Amino acid sequence: MNTAKQVNVMIGLLFVGLFGTFLYFLFDNGFNAFGIDFEGREAAAVAHQEKVNAERGGFLYARNCRACHGLTGQGAIERGGLPGAPLNDDANRPPELTTTEATARKARLAATIHCGRVGTLMPAWSTEEGGPLNEFQIEQLVKLITSEFSEEAWEHAVEEGNHSDLFDPGKRLAEDIGEDDTTITLNDASGLLKEGVLRIGGDAIDEEYEILLVVEVDENENTVEVERAVDNSSTLAHEAGDIVYNGPIPAPDSPITGEAPAVPPCGQSPAQPAGTPAPPVTITGDVALTMDDNLFQYDGANNPNFEVAPGDAVSFALTNAGANLHNMVITGPDGEYGTDDDIISDPDAIAGGEAGSLEFAADEAGTFLYQCDFHPDAMLGEITVTE
């Protein structure tokens, strides 16, 4: 081969090498062509790892968090009375959050899981504070809540939860049941216990479910007498073949994290008992009332009792300073919640960081009760209209 040909071959090989390096660079780092983004190898690997960690967070959630935050992670939005904050929420993940907001949200969630929240039922989950989760597991839970793969990871959490709630042997409805039926027939009623709790529905994250209380069991006939729609669930019709699950574990009602004599985790200040009312406070006109997790606060007092003169109009400006869902409801003259004369805040469910309002006035003397519908045992007080 003459020198000219050798030079041409070397130049050709050099160009091939450079072109190959350029292609590898594109493959490794990604590129945009004709308005289409091609993901690079490194970015694809990072995304895959984030998805895996978010799904593992769903597994951890199903094992540890459902009693307070719900089967689907939506807290009281899913079912009234659940004390945990809604976690499965678009507001916690892209694209709703900017990069700066996302960083702050992740830090807050990690700290809350690590240390718990004093004054609420949220305990410290970190092994450093006596809990069962290491820092990497806490990071996986945060990924579940804040990742771009959150929606898929929450589906995984529901699947994991449903799998753990299956009976062995499996149980299904043998016949359709309507909303008024109090006897259900199963393919196998063996092993069910009186006062046990069942769940029907909730097979997927967007499917409603009903919780039923077992009253009597006839294993010979495979029939079960039940109380319908317990624990703030809805009465639903169900079809033959529907899976019957173990009912959800009830949310704890104690202890309050950081409440004396317990030592608050992570150096937090001790909590005041949520149900301890302050002396009555006379109010009129505009009243700024803060809702925290889980108590009402006014001028430094928790769950205050108020006094109002007959005919005085009070306008409560409500601010949710916590992470949980809250509202305010005042009974009407009948003194009972859940009746037509109730006065309910606008909106009737106030998310963390949001605000609402409620107008109250009474022409005659009497005592009116108020509460948060989502935390009726912890957030409550009285309004007395004096003579």
Side-chain angles (χ1 to χ4, degrees):
M1 182 180 297
N2 60 38
T3 302
K5 289 183 178 180
Q6 289 177 328
V7 171
N8 289 335
V9 169
M10 292 177 64
I11 293 174
L13 290 174
L14 179 61
F15 275 109
V16 169
L18 289 173
F19 185 66
T21 301
F22 176 69
L23 290 178
Y24 182 82
F25 176 83
L26 293 179
F27 169 70
D28 203 41
N29 295 278
F31 63 98
N32 181 286
F34 309 108
I36 302 173
D37 286 320
F38 293 87
E39 194 173 53
R41 181 181 63 172
E42 182 179 356
V46 170
H48 174 74
Q49 190 59 50
E50 180 165 342
K51 181 179 180 182
V52 169
N53 282 329
E55 290 180 347
R56 288 176 178 170
F59 174 85
L60 291 168
Y61 176 90
R63 293 294 185 270
N64 298 284
C65 311
R66 295 188 300 153
C68 289
H69 295 276
L71 306 180
T72 66
Q74 299 176 87
I77 298 172
E78 173 187 317
R79 195 174 84 242
L82 288 171
L87 302 175
N88 181 8
D89 188 337
D90 288 342
N92 285 327
R93 54 191 181 236
E96 296 298 321
L97 299 179
T98 65
T99 301
T100 301
E101 291 171 336
T103 300
R105 183 67 55 87
K106 291 174 184 178
R108 179 182 181 186
L109 288 166
T112 299
I113 299 171
H114 182 106
C115 296
R117 287 181 64 86
V118 162
T120 75
L121 296 173
M122 179 67 178
W125 287 92
S126 169
T127 53
E128 294 180 11
E129 299 296 330
L133 302 180
N134 62 40
E135 290 306 302
F136 186 55
Q137 290 172 317
I138 291 174
E139 181 183 343
Q140 289 174 330
L141 281 171
V142 173
K143 291 287 188 187
L144 164 70
I145 301 166
T146 64
S147 170
E148 63 178 301
F149 302 105
S150 284
E151 291 188 49
E152 298 164 83
W154 280 112
E155 293 283 359
H156 185 69
V158 172
E159 291 173 5
E160 287 288 345
N162 284 341
H163 179 73
S164 66
D165 290 344
L166 291 172
F167 282 97
D168 186 15
K171 303 191 187 305
R172 292 178 177 269
L173 290 177
E175 300 176 0
D176 295 351
I177 60 172
E179 295 183 6
D180 297 326
D181 293 330
T182 56
T183 300
I184 64 175
T185 304
L186 305 180
N187 63 321
D188 181 357
S190 63
L192 296 183
L193 300 176
K194 188 175 180 179
E195 302 298 319
V197 180
L198 310 176
R199 169 170 63 93
I200 305 176
D203 298 305
I205 205 162
D206 57 353
E207 181 181 315
E208 286 188 282
Y209 61 86
E210 179 178 4
I211 303 173
L212 305 90
L213 180 68
V214 176
V215 177
E216 294 289 347
V217 180
D218 186 337
E219 293 191 6
N220 292 325
E221 298 293 331
N222 286 323
T223 57
V224 185
E225 298 292 328
V226 294
E227 179 182 342
R228 302 290 301 272
V230 299
D231 292 342
N232 296 300
S233 63
S234 301
T235 306
L236 304 170
H238 306 283
E239 298 180 353
D242 284 355
I243 299 173
V244 178
Y245 298 97
N246 276 293
I249 299 171
D253 55 13
S254 64
I256 299 295
T257 298
E259 190 173 83
V263 177
C266 300
Q268 299 177 76
S269 299
Q272 298 181 7
T276 302
V281 179
T282 300
I283 56 174
T284 188
D286 296 333
V287 175
L289 188 62
T290 299
M291 302 177 293
D292 214 329
D293 300 333
N294 292 318
L295 46 83
F296 289 99
Q297 290 183 321
Y298 175 74
D299 198 22
N302 295 340
N303 294 336
N305 291 329
F306 295 115
E307 289 185 350
V308 181
D312 272 6
V314 177
S315 179
F316 288 100
L318 305 171
T319 301
N320 187 347
N324 294 343
L325 203 64
H326 298 303
N327 72 357
M328 183 178 185
V329 179
I330 303 175
T331 60
D334 64 1
E336 299 287 337
Y337 291 110
T339 57
D340 291 340
D341 61 357
D342 287 357
I343 307 168
I344 304 174
S345 62
D346 179 23
D348 58 4
I350 304 171
E354 301 296 328
S357 61
L358 184 148
E359 306 293 328
F360 173 80
D363 294 328
E364 298 181 1
T367 298
F368 301 81
L369 307 178
Y370 76 86
Q371 69 175 24
C372 167
D373 274 343
F374 303 108
H375 308 94
D377 297 326
M379 300 177 67
L380 68 167
E382 297 180 354
I383 302 175
T384 301
V385 179
T386 57
E387 293 288 353

